[in-house]
Amino acid sequence: MIEFLQQLINGISLGAIYALIALGYTMVYGVLRFINFAHSEVFMVGAFVGYYFGHMWDWKHLPPWLIIPNNSLWGGTLVLFIAMLICAILGVVIEKLAYRPLRNRSTLTVLITAIGVSLLLQNVGQLVFGPNPKAYPALFPQRDIVLGGLTVSTNQIVVLCVTIILLLALRFIVMKTRTGIAMRALSFNPTAASLMGISNDVVISLTFALGSALAAAGGILYALNYPSIDPLMGTLPGLKAFVAAVLGGIGNLPGAALGGLIIGIVETFVRGSRWSTYTDALVFSILILILLFRPVGLLGKFQAEKV
Amino acid sequence: MKYCRGPILLIAPLLLLLCTTACNKSGGGSSAEADTIKVGEFASLTGSEATFGQSSHKGTVLAIDQINSAGGVLGKKIDLISEDDLSKQGESAMIVKKFISRDKVVAILGEVASGRSLEAAKICQENKIPQISPSSTNPKVTETGDYIFRTCFTDPFQGKLLADFGLSTLKAKRVAMLTDIASPYSVGLAQYFKEPFLAGGGTIIVDQKYSSHDKDFKAQLTAIKAANPEAIFVPGYYTEVGLIVLQARQLGIEVPIFGGDGWEAEDLLQIGGDSLTNTFYSTHFSPLKDTPEVQNFVKAFQAKFNGEIPDAMAALGYDSVLMLADAIKRAGGTDPAKLRDALATTDISGATGRTKLNEHRDAPKAAVIITVENDKFKFLRDVQP
């Protein structure tokens, strides 16, 4: 029983990170109807930004008031915000340079461009950050809490809290603000939205900024739990988050969160069993099954395609 | 037909001219290269096992510099051509093909990881070019053929040593195993550990698996914790081992964790930190050992590389060059067949002690056990073959 609960805790903390990444896929899909494969590289860049700002106490020439304190709650939060900000800008730049010129082309063209951007970022990452794995600094104070045989690390709690806060914030933005209403309108019908005076370009840029900020948060949380990062670290978590987004119903925000949790928990339980070597195979089998039997995902609604 | 003749008449002398200049070039090239001995080295200079590749490469470069400044071998300087295989499967085969066909090397040095040495070994054997792997311990590497040699001991020896260490020193009879199924080194070492360990009265209570580049081991470790072992055997490479030990301690697993020479890297300390207390691994060499050969090597290495302390991979890389130079001397040249015969009868003394090859072209030699105390590696003891 204790083993079961411990695996559940491990699974939820992994699933929470997948949920954050999956939200980025789903938001972009909801607005532009294509899968932004460069999203997993934004996740990687987020982790690296956290790495460099987490090492600020090594920058000896900086004035002391500028240095972010290591290992403190507000220092960690500050690093998290800086990474989210930088990645939000990166997301907007990617959209402007790579996707906007192709706005009126078929989605297949944009999809292939996204794969190209992903490869470009991976290789530039190897050039700039170096291809060797790096040990990740402890941004938040770390402790392990033992509760009757169960171990919960403070990192796992941080992951869960940050995910819940960001999910609520996102829900507020999308449901209550004017920008959110514009986003939903655009996702419903882009032509009608622009006729109503919504600037599509601005809303799409904001969507990319929000999604990329979530990916950066996911990258830092992932690196905190598994403290070794390299420029190719985004590929597999990115693909799994994509599966999570499809499982929950792509384009559907609560669906992405639910899908992320399910994938994280399933993955952890299989990994802890005798069939641990089949973990990735199982995750991708879920993708095939869901596409065969319920292509709109768990929470998605069927929509008639107009021909 | 009439109109065609003109251009042909024009082109013919041009072709002739091209041919003669091309012939001249190749003739001039070979005579200039004859006063050096070309040796190819492929290493994981970047990527997930970069620490291994860098160490091994530095040892190799040091040995070649020492030999060249002492006048070279048979009056010729050794010309080392190094290529980076990015720690990727597939790269090393390509590099070795290039070494043989384009650079025309007389021998090839590499690699640390058994998987990549194996890949290269097949090509070297086909082309009958001697290959010396400084530190691949999987027996299959030299089993590929009679042109493949190594400077280190093999996994059956290391596995037996670790089984004995687990049973007698750690007094652990119920051991959990965590193997990297994507690496031939890890799978091999796990198997060679299992046989003597079971024969010695131990039991493997859980056998969990992971793949190279995995980051999350909590699921496997939770299953291991539930089985309540007396020790955990992790025959993997340092990148994953660091994370495994860290996550094991986070889950409250306090038992000893031990493994083989794949652990040896400063990066292990950076990733694992103070959770590495009560871990042990076996390896080929310790710079803390107080013999003149070891201390001379450490001094020379520190002088060349800004005071950096050499590890086992550096010492083995160094010895692999000594082995090759010695064989070229005894063979009286670089004829591949003669060089092969000379390598097979190697018996030299280097940084890792005496290297005397057996009939399988392996080098049974003393191993050392290292432990971690206060975030530093500590020499525990020697184990004779």
Side-chain angles (χ1 to χ4, degrees):
Chain A
M1 188 59 196
I2 281 185
E3 190 190 347
F4 177 83
L5 288 176
Q6 182 72 58
Q7 297 288 37
L8 198 63
I9 293 173
N10 298 340
I12 290 173
S13 74
L14 183 64
I17 297 170
Y18 288 157
L20 279 183
I21 315 171
L23 283 171
Y25 279 113
T26 254
M27 285 175 72
V28 169
Y29 186 86
V31 172
L32 287 180
R33 298 270 175 267
F34 89 98
I35 310 290
N36 177 19
F37 277 111
H39 195 61
S40 52
E41 273 53 57
V42 177
F43 163 86
M44 174 273 288
V45 172
F48 270 93
V49 171
Y51 171 84
Y52 287 109
F53 280 94
H55 271 295
M56 264 180 56
W57 62 89
D58 285 346
W59 303 359
K60 301 219 165 50
H61 50 276
L62 274 183
W65 54 268
L66 242 178
I67 290 177
I68 297 172
N70 175 23
N71 241 339
S72 70
L73 195 59
W74 83 270
T77 316
L78 193 60
V79 171
L80 193 67
F81 271 112
I82 295 173
M84 287 171 75
L85 189 70
I86 291 181
C87 282
I89 296 168
L90 177 70
V92 172
V93 171
I94 290 175
E95 194 271 329
K96 246 198 182 112
L97 295 182
Y99 306 144
R100 187 162 299 177
L102 303 170
R103 185 67 55 74
N104 296 321
R105 304 286 183 84
S106 73
T107 34
L108 191 65
T109 316
V110 192
L111 191 79
I112 289 166
T113 309
I115 296 173
V117 174
S118 161
L119 285 173
L120 179 77
L121 285 175
Q122 278 179 12
N123 287 291
V124 169
Q126 296 199 53
L127 197 70
V128 177
F129 305 134
N132 308 335
K134 291 184 168 55
Y136 211 69
L139 300 176
F140 291 98
Q142 282 182 13
R143 222 157 53 85
D144 296 322
I145 300 159
V146 182
L147 290 169
L150 288 179
T151 318
V152 186
S153 73
T154 43
N155 271 340
Q156 285 173 321
I157 298 173
V158 167
V159 168
L160 215 57
C161 292
V162 171
T163 306
I164 291 171
I165 292 170
L166 289 178
L167 276 180
L168 291 177
L170 186 69
R171 184 154 181 86
F172 175 79
I173 292 175
V174 173
M175 301 314 276
K176 302 278 184 215
T177 61
R178 288 181 69 85
T179 323
I181 295 169
M183 261 176 209
R184 282 183 290 144
L186 188 64
S187 137
F188 198 67
N189 188 336
T191 326
S194 67
L195 286 175
M196 294 301 128
I198 292 170
S199 164
N200 284 7
D201 282 349
V202 173
V203 174
I204 288 168
S205 286
L206 273 173
T207 311
F208 269 87
L210 271 179
S212 302
L214 292 179
I220 287 188
L221 296 178
Y222 190 79
L224 279 178
N225 265 358
Y226 315 115
S228 152
I229 58 167
D230 62 88
L232 303 181
M233 66 181 276
T235 321
L236 212 52
L239 278 177
K240 285 182 185 157
F242 166 62
V243 176
V246 175
L247 174 64
I250 194 139
N252 182 307
L253 294 182
L258 179 72
L261 277 181
I262 293 176
I263 295 288
I265 293 170
V266 167
E267 192 187 321
T268 306
F269 274 103
V270 177
R271 229 179 252 282
S273 72
R274 269 182 299 144
W275 302 283
S276 56
T277 46
Y278 295 101
T279 315
D280 292 348
L282 189 93
V283 169
F284 295 115
S285 307
I286 292 180
L287 177 66
I288 295 172
L289 288 177
I290 204 89
L291 287 176
L292 277 178
F293 295 109
R294 200 180 152 78
V296 290
L298 294 178
L299 300 186
K301 290 186 190 73
F302 283 100
Q303 266 177 348
E305 285 273 323
K306 276 177 235 140
V307 185
Chain B
M1 283 299 272
K2 255 184 194 168
Y3 305 101
C4 297
R5 216 174 279 152
I8 288 177
L9 280 175
L10 264 171
I11 289 166
L14 262 174
L15 277 174
L16 214 82
L17 203 78
L18 262 174
C19 178
T20 49
T21 49
C23 294
N24 269 342
K25 255 186 198 157
S26 65
S30 68
S31 68
E33 281 156 17
D35 36 288
T36 61
I37 298 171
K38 276 194 173 179
V39 174
E41 185 215 12
F42 64 104
S44 49
L45 298 178
T46 58
S48 54
E49 277 107 49
T51 309
F52 286 162
Q54 290 286 355
S55 282
S56 185
H57 176 68
K58 282 176 184 161
T60 308
V61 168
L62 174 67
I64 284 180
D65 280 4
Q66 285 182 350
I67 289 169
N68 282 346
S69 59
V73 186
L74 302 172
K76 290 178 188 171
K77 297 245 150 89
I78 300 180
D79 179 13
L80 181 74
I81 308 164
S82 299
E83 293 276 354
D84 177 14
D85 61 31
L86 312 169
S87 307
K88 269 189 200 154
Q89 219 71 345
E91 282 301 311
S92 49
M94 224 163 65
I95 293 171
V96 167
K97 275 183 193 152
K98 180 208 145 222
F99 277 155
I100 294 173
S101 60
R102 203 180 306 163
D103 299 322
K104 311 253 185 273
V105 299
V106 301
I108 286 168
L109 301 174
E111 218 240 66
V112 178
S114 297
R116 292 190 288 275
S117 292
L118 263 171
E119 235 176 64
K122 288 190 189 92
I123 298 160
C124 291
Q125 181 63 30
E126 256 169 43
N127 292 286
K128 301 220 179 307
I129 295 288
Q131 178 195 355
I132 306 173
S133 162
S135 41
S136 288
T137 50
N138 192 312
K140 285 198 188 114
V141 174
T142 48
E143 278 166 17
T144 310
D146 57 351
Y147 274 79
I148 317 300
F149 302 85
R150 81 176 101 218
T151 322
C152 57
F153 53 64
T154 55
D155 285 336
F157 170 72
Q158 189 172 210
K160 168 119 191 8
L161 170 163
L162 286 165
D164 291 345
F165 177 77
L167 286 167
S168 55
T169 311
L170 298 178
K171 308 239 179 296
K173 284 210 180 300
R174 304 172 65 247
V175 163
M177 206 152 75
L178 188 52
T179 320
D180 177 356
I181 44 135
S183 128
Y185 160 76
S186 185
V187 174
L189 186 55
Q191 185 198 330
Y192 298 116
F193 168 81
K194 208 171 170 176
E195 286 157 14
F197 187 73
L198 295 181
T203 43
I204 308 255
I205 50 168
V206 234
D207 187 357
Q208 286 283 340
K209 312 269 193 284
Y210 68 92
S211 295
S212 318
H213 308 300
D214 275 0
K215 302 246 153 90
D216 178 20
F217 306 94
K218 284 208 167 130
Q220 289 98 320
L221 289 166
T222 302
I224 286 174
K225 192 189 175 191
N228 198 18
E230 290 166 342
I232 306 173
F233 180 61
V234 188
Y237 288 125
Y238 61 89
T239 322
E240 285 86 17
V241 168
L243 289 174
I244 289 171
V245 175
L246 193 72
Q247 292 173 21
R249 300 302 188 222
Q250 275 174 2
L251 286 172
I253 303 174
E254 300 298 336
V255 296
I257 302 177
F258 64 116
D261 56 330
W263 285 37
E264 167 116 356
E266 281 294 317
D267 287 20
L268 180 72
L269 296 176
Q270 277 173 24
I271 298 171
D274 47 351
S275 58
L276 284 162
T277 314
N278 204 15
T279 59
F280 307 86
Y281 68 89
S282 60
T283 186
H284 311 263
F285 163 88
S286 166
L288 308 167
K289 220 165 115 181
D290 212 10
T291 64
E293 283 99 348
V294 170
Q295 289 311 319
N296 282 343
F297 167 67
V298 172
K299 252 179 239 151
F301 193 90
Q302 285 189 305
K304 186 163 173 69
F305 299 108
N306 301 324
E308 197 180 314
I309 294 169
D311 58 9
M313 305 306 154
L316 286 169
Y318 181 84
D319 282 2
S320 69
V321 176
L322 296 194
M323 206 170 130
L324 179 64
D326 167 73
I328 294 174
K329 235 179 265 170
R330 282 186 292 117
T334 55
D335 176 63
K338 278 186 193 153
L339 186 56
R340 192 219 79 85
D341 292 345
L343 274 170
T345 54
T346 293
D347 185 359
I348 57 159
S349 163
T352 56
R354 185 174 173 204
T355 305
K356 184 179 189 303
L357 293 196
N358 63 13
E359 69 275 22
H360 306 296
R361 299 169 300 283
D362 303 328
K365 55 168 77 167
V368 292
I369 303 255
I370 308 274
T371 181
V372 182
E373 258 176 32
N374 301 326
D375 292 355
K376 279 202 181 80
F377 290 128
K378 191 174 163 243
F379 172 67
L380 202 64
R381 61 186 159 90
D382 259 333
V383 184
Q384 293 303 326

